[in-house]
Amino acid sequence: MTKTLKIITLLLASFVLFSCGNKSNAQNNTKENANIMTADFEDNSIKAINIAANDNNSNNKILIVYFSWGGNSRTLAGYAREITGGDIFEIVPAQPYPSQYRATTQQAREELDNNYLPEIKNKINNLSSYDAIILVYPNWWGTIPQVVKRFLQDNDF
């Protein structure tokens, strides 16, 4: 790669809470609690994206790379695109994750425990043309999803 690429990881405290939640919040998932969490998530996420967009100079070519299972990371990637005007790329697993939450968490745990890196359906060939990369993903089992690790490995990060 001819340019130095920066990876800006947007794992905000509010995002961690929003994507994982704790047991009491899950049991008391009222509309009010959901609205408060969503407002915190959006506010903190937008602040972080603005910092990324304004870092160095405004002529940076920015790529937003995201993986989303439930839609939260897709929403954040959309915010990043609106704010930065950057290009967007979705990491799509070759074999989709189950639609049921418990089945997905079980599969994610097995992938992590076995250090299995799922194949990715789509590829990006022009990473070297970007000055900055914003990487957006959910927090699964306290770390990044294995499919995101695959993306990073396949692209020599």
Side-chain angles (χ1 to χ4, degrees), residues 1-15:
M1 295 184 179
T2 60
K3 297 180 182 177
T4 302
L5 295 177
K6 294 184 287 181
I7 300 175
I8 303 167
T9 306
L10 299 173
L11 290 179
L12 306 168
S14 61
F15 182 67

Side-chain angles (χ1 to χ4, degrees), residues 26-63:
Q27 291 172 343
N28 299 321
N29 191 13
T30 64
K31 186 175 183 178
E32 181 180 331
N33 286 343
N35 287 340
I36 290 169
M37 289 175 69
T38 301
D40 289 345
F41 167 72
E42 290 175 0
D43 184 49
N44 290 332
S45 300
I46 289 170
K47 286 177 187 174
I49 293 165
N50 276 321
I51 290 168
N54 294 318
D55 190 34
N56 292 331
N57 70 58
S58 60
N59 295 325
N60 284 343
K61 187 170 179 189
I62 297 173
L63 175 66

Side-chain angles (χ1 to χ4, degrees), residues 37 47 55 59 72 77 96 100 109 138-139 149:
M37 289 175 69
K47 286 177 187 174
D55 190 34
N59 295 325
N72 296 330
Q100 298 298 318
R109 183 80 229 173
N139 179 348
K149 285 184 186 176

Side-chain angles (χ1 to χ4, degrees), residues 10-138:
L10 299 173
L11 290 179
L12 306 168
S14 61
F15 182 67
V16 172
L17 291 173
F18 189 71
S19 64
C20 297
N22 64 32
K23 191 173 183 178
S24 64
N25 280 346
Q27 291 172 343
N28 299 321
N29 191 13
T30 64
K31 186 175 183 178
E32 181 180 331
N33 286 343
N35 287 340
I36 290 169
M37 289 175 69
T38 301
D40 289 345
F41 167 72
E42 290 175 0
D43 184 49
N44 290 332
S45 300
I46 289 170
K47 286 177 187 174
I49 293 165
N50 276 321
I51 290 168
N54 294 318
D55 190 34
N56 292 331
N57 70 58
S58 60
N59 295 325
N60 284 343
K61 187 170 179 189
I62 297 173
L63 175 66
I64 298 103
V65 176
Y66 76 95
F67 166 70
S68 187
W69 174 78
N72 296 330
S73 297
R74 179 178 294 111
T75 299
L76 181 55
Y79 294 155
R81 186 177 193 189
E82 288 174 22
I83 292 167
T84 65
D87 296 333
I88 198 159
F89 176 80
E90 180 180 10
I91 299 169
V92 179
Q95 295 295 320
Y97 284 94
S99 59
Q100 298 298 318
Y101 177 78
R102 291 242 184 246
T104 298
T105 60
Q106 181 178 3
Q107 180 176 331
R109 183 80 229 173
E110 290 172 5
E111 289 174 358
L112 184 61
D113 289 346
N114 297 313
N115 200 27
Y116 174 75
L117 301 176
E119 293 295 321
I120 297 174
K121 184 177 184 178
N122 53 345
K123 307 288 182 209
I124 189 161
N125 298 319
N126 61 342
L127 280 177
S128 62
S129 68
Y130 292 94
D131 300 304
I133 297 173
I134 299 173
L135 184 60
V136 183
Y137 55 85

